[in-house]
Amino acid sequence: MTVLVLALLAGAVIGLALGALGGGGSVLAVPALIYLLGFTPAAATTASLIIVTATSLTALYAHTRDGHVAWKTGALFAAAGIVPAFLAGAVAGRLPQAVLTAAFAVIAALAALRMLRPSAAEPPHRIRPGKAAGTGAGLGAVTGLLGVGGGFLAVPALVSVLGLRMRQAVGTSLLVITVNSLAALAARTGTGTGLHWEVIGPFTGAAILGAWDGKRLATKISGTTLQKIFAGVLLAVAVFMLVDVIV
């Protein structure tokens, strides 16, 4: 029963972040699965992709209803990440667990620091296709290797590289997250050893419900405040994971 409660609570928090910020919640999914629910790092990254895919699809639907998804732009950005996500997903299962944990902790710390930085005031006047493709490919690789959706990278990239407004970038990032996560999952087909579906199911359900609440929360609390709170939690988790690997 304790494991079930932890899964529900962790899923709700992650869904809340995804719905409110368009990303970032999945960065907490992996440490929650490892340290709270007893998954191995490899199994946690795979389970995280399942959770993130389902939750992102739900949040994407909610943002689509409000007209906040740039489908063509998002599809082009996501397409650049499909192959890197697939290849990185295939490699991830062969890496030592300590390497996966350390790499994840570094990415989580960078995500937290990025959230604490002020957003660019104005988007660029001209989109650079090469930079957009490179950013999309890098995002796909991170998703495939570490099992994170990459929304914390996608949102600022969609604003600064592709010129989307913040609200539209949040919605469009969910499309990118979904595509990249599906590609990474395809690479991991048949590697479901260690996955506890009795935990993943409730975790995913709570995350989906949390995503709806997160979208509503975003209309009541400023995005800056939400980001600062989430970044603080994320930074603490990253430090804990690094210390765990070193010690």
Side-chain angles (χ1 to χ4, degrees):
M1 183 60 71
T2 302
V3 172
L4 178 60
V5 171
L6 288 174
L8 291 171
L9 289 174
V13 171
I14 286 153
L16 200 67
L18 268 171
L21 304 175
S26 59
V27 185
L28 277 181
V30 171
L33 289 164
I34 294 173
Y35 295 106
L36 294 180
L37 301 171
F39 281 57
T40 66
T45 55
T46 301
S48 174
L49 287 170
I50 296 169
I51 295 161
V52 169
T53 299
T55 310
S56 296
L57 276 171
T58 303
L60 176 62
Y61 171 72
H63 283 272
T64 298
R65 291 197 314 172
D66 294 338
H68 294 154
V69 180
W71 289 96
K72 184 176 180 180
T73 300
L76 290 173
F77 191 83
I82 291 176
V83 173
F86 185 89
L87 294 176
V91 170
R94 298 178 173 83
L95 293 176
Q97 294 188 7
V99 172
L100 276 177
T101 304
F104 187 91
V106 171
I107 290 294
L110 291 175
L113 294 174
R114 179 63 187 82
M115 287 180 177
L116 290 172
R117 286 174 52 193
S119 302
E122 292 292 336
H125 297 291
R126 184 169 64 87
I127 296 173
R128 288 172 283 183
K131 187 175 181 181
T135 305
L139 182 65
V142 170
T143 299
L145 187 65
L146 300 179
V148 297
F152 62 90
L153 296 173
V155 172
L158 287 166
V159 172
S160 63
V161 178
L162 298 184
L164 298 185
R165 298 294 176 182
M166 181 56 70
R167 191 177 293 274
Q168 197 175 35
V170 169
T172 305
S173 75
L174 293 164
L175 171 62
V176 177
I177 291 168
T178 300
V179 172
N180 285 343
S181 297
L182 284 172
L185 271 176
R188 298 182 186 218
T189 301
T191 61
T193 303
L195 296 183
H196 303 289
W197 291 100
E198 70 279 6
V199 174
I200 295 174
F203 196 120
T204 304
I208 288 172
L209 293 175
W212 285 99
D213 290 334
K215 188 177 180 299
R216 287 194 291 268
L217 183 65
T219 64
K220 299 177 181 179
I221 302 177
S222 72
T224 302
T225 301
L226 283 171
Q227 281 188 298
K228 286 182 178 179
I229 294 172
F230 190 80
V233 174
L234 193 56
L235 195 56
V237 169
V239 171
F240 174 80
M241 293 180 77
L242 280 174
V243 170
D244 184 58
V245 171
I246 294 171
V247 176

